[in-house]
Amino acid sequence: MRLLERMRKDWFMIGIVLAIAGAKLEPSIGVNGGPLKPEITVSYIAVATIFFNSGLSLKTEELTSALVHLKLHLFIQIFTLAFFPAAIWLFLQLLSITPINEWLLKGLQTVGCMPPPVSSAVILTKAVGGNEGIVITPLLLLLFLGSSSSVPFTSIFSQLFMTVVVPLIIGQIVRRYIKDWLERKKPPFGAISSSVLLMIIYTTFCDTFSNPNIDLDKFSLVLILVIIFSIQLSFMLLTFIFSTRNNSGFTPADTVAIIFCSTHKSLTLGIPMLKIVFAGHEHLSLISVPLLIYHPAQILLGSVLVPTIKSWMVSRQKGVKLTRPTV
């Protein structure tokens, strides 16, 4: 199962590259008004499909049991949706005096505003990455980048409600009636969402490559790549320090959940949300680039660090057992 999941993630990374390359070769297919009609098929049908799919796959019973970890839930929410975007905003005040492309910097701010992944190996991620992200993330985007959004506030939330919340609820309702069939057949929910997401990414970059006024310098792209890896490592270290203090009250297993859930950002929710909030914006693809980089970066760093973090957790858990007084 882990091998299949790893293969799916690898193919998805390749798919992102191919989607962008395809948009570069023939952007006319996926532009607004083109043969794919992305203003309808992507903005409404594709986004709704992703969240209906999420509703079908989301196990409500596991969500309910995960929510009992209230302290852990609150820590991850506050770090992800308050500290993270505020820290990025302060950091960007320094970066604004550099020659880095301003739209990539705005994209870096959108990364900070995103919630954790809707689904993850850690079930607590599901508990903290659902409805709160749908409401708070657009508010954060408008707070930090309000002047960049060309869509009225009410339109953003009405479209989010119709294409995200409603399909998610319908998916959950349908799941109640076909739960046994889903458990038995195990449909490829991940593959379906990834395929639809690639279509969204493709059409986003079609708009970019069809606009001759947009140019991305390689210097800015390399710097953004270095900055993203630095941010992830710094925040993972920070969450580790916070959660392992003597009076924190978190177990070693809690610390592992905090490290990954607090620093991971959702591409599945992020790209459709950017498509809605920045609908019609000529620099949408540049704003999306940092999130497209952040996603594979978090998977790569996670893969590298998992053995070390697991070893630390096991040793700490053994230490706790050894120090327990015998009765």
Side-chain angles (χ1 to χ4, degrees):
M1 185 64 71
R2 288 182 181 178
L3 178 61
L4 288 175
E5 181 66 16
R6 180 62 183 272
M7 288 176 62
R8 187 181 71 80
K9 288 178 178 178
D10 289 343
W11 279 110
F12 182 62
M13 300 308 160
I14 296 172
I16 291 176
V17 175
L18 291 176
I20 296 173
K24 175 68 174 176
L25 288 173
E26 192 54 64
S28 61
I29 296 176
V31 296
N32 281 341
L36 285 182
K37 300 293 181 185
E39 62 273 17
I40 298 173
T41 57
V42 170
S43 298
Y44 294 96
I45 299 173
V47 176
T49 299
I50 286 178
F51 289 99
F52 174 74
N53 190 48
S54 294
L56 279 178
S57 62
L58 207 58
K59 297 181 180 179
T60 313
E61 60 275 14
E62 291 183 354
L63 274 172
T64 304
S65 63
L67 285 172
V68 300
H69 302 283
L70 183 60
K71 184 178 180 180
L72 183 61
H73 174 85
L74 288 174
F75 181 96
I76 294 172
Q77 283 286 47
I78 292 170
F79 189 95
T80 306
L81 296 173
F83 177 82
F84 202 126
I88 294 294
W89 182 83
L90 289 172
F91 184 46
L92 290 181
Q93 303 313 300
L94 298 175
L95 292 179
S96 62
I97 62 174
T98 67
I100 299 176
N101 184 290
E102 66 169 310
W103 297 106
L104 289 180
L105 292 180
K106 289 180 185 293
L108 203 56
Q109 183 66 70
T110 67
V111 170
C113 296
M114 292 300 157
V118 174
S119 59
S120 177
V122 183
I123 186 61
L124 279 170
T125 302
K126 288 184 177 180
V128 302
N131 296 335
E132 296 91 334
I134 293 169
V135 175
I136 295 176
T137 294
L139 289 174
L140 291 173
L141 289 173
L142 292 170
L143 174 65
F144 291 111
L145 302 167
S147 60
S148 301
S149 178
S150 57
V151 182
F153 184 83
T154 52
S155 297
I156 290 172
F157 277 92
S158 62
Q159 188 170 347
L160 281 171
F161 182 77
M162 293 305 298
T163 59
V164 176
V165 179
V166 171
L168 196 65
I169 293 173
I170 294 174
Q172 280 283 277
I173 293 171
V174 173
R175 178 181 172 81
R176 293 173 66 91
Y177 293 97
I178 61 171
K179 179 181 174 182
D180 292 338
W181 181 84
L182 291 172
E183 294 294 332
R184 189 170 62 254
K185 295 295 184 179
K186 299 186 184 302
F189 293 116
I192 294 170
S193 291
S194 295
S195 299
V196 177
L197 192 57
L198 288 175
M199 178 185 173
I200 297 175
I201 293 170
Y202 168 73
T203 57
T204 299
F205 278 86
C206 281
D207 285 332
T208 297
F209 293 128
S210 64
N211 187 341
N213 298 322
I214 295 178
D215 185 35
L216 175 61
D217 60 288
K218 294 178 181 178
F219 174 74
S220 293
L221 194 59
V222 171
L223 283 182
I224 287 293
L225 183 64
V226 173
I227 289 169
I228 284 174
F229 273 96
S230 301
I231 287 173
Q232 285 200 45
L233 284 172
S234 300
F235 281 5
M236 291 176 84
L237 178 60
L238 195 60
T239 54
F240 177 80
I241 294 171
F242 281 160
S243 60
T244 53
R245 293 177 302 166
N246 291 332
N247 59 348
S248 69
F250 294 120
T251 66
D254 290 340
T255 296
V256 173
I258 286 170
I259 289 173
F260 289 113
C261 294
S262 298
T263 58
H264 279 206
K265 296 294 183 177
S266 174
L267 184 68
T268 305
L269 180 60
I271 292 296
M273 193 169 290
L274 290 179
K275 193 81 173 175
I276 293 171
V277 175
F278 296 98
H281 201 291
E282 65 174 353
H283 293 99
L284 172 60
S285 60
L286 295 186
I287 295 172
S288 306
V289 165
L291 184 58
L292 291 173
I293 295 174
Y294 196 96
H295 180 73
Q298 69 189 11
I299 294 173
L300 178 61
L301 282 176
S303 301
V304 171
L305 294 175
V306 158
T308 303
I309 294 175
K310 184 178 180 180
S311 177
W312 170 85
M313 185 185 73
V314 171
S315 64
R316 283 295 297 270
Q317 287 175 334
K318 286 181 179 178
V320 170
K321 290 179 181 178
L322 290 173
T323 56
R324 284 178 181 170
T326 57
V327 180

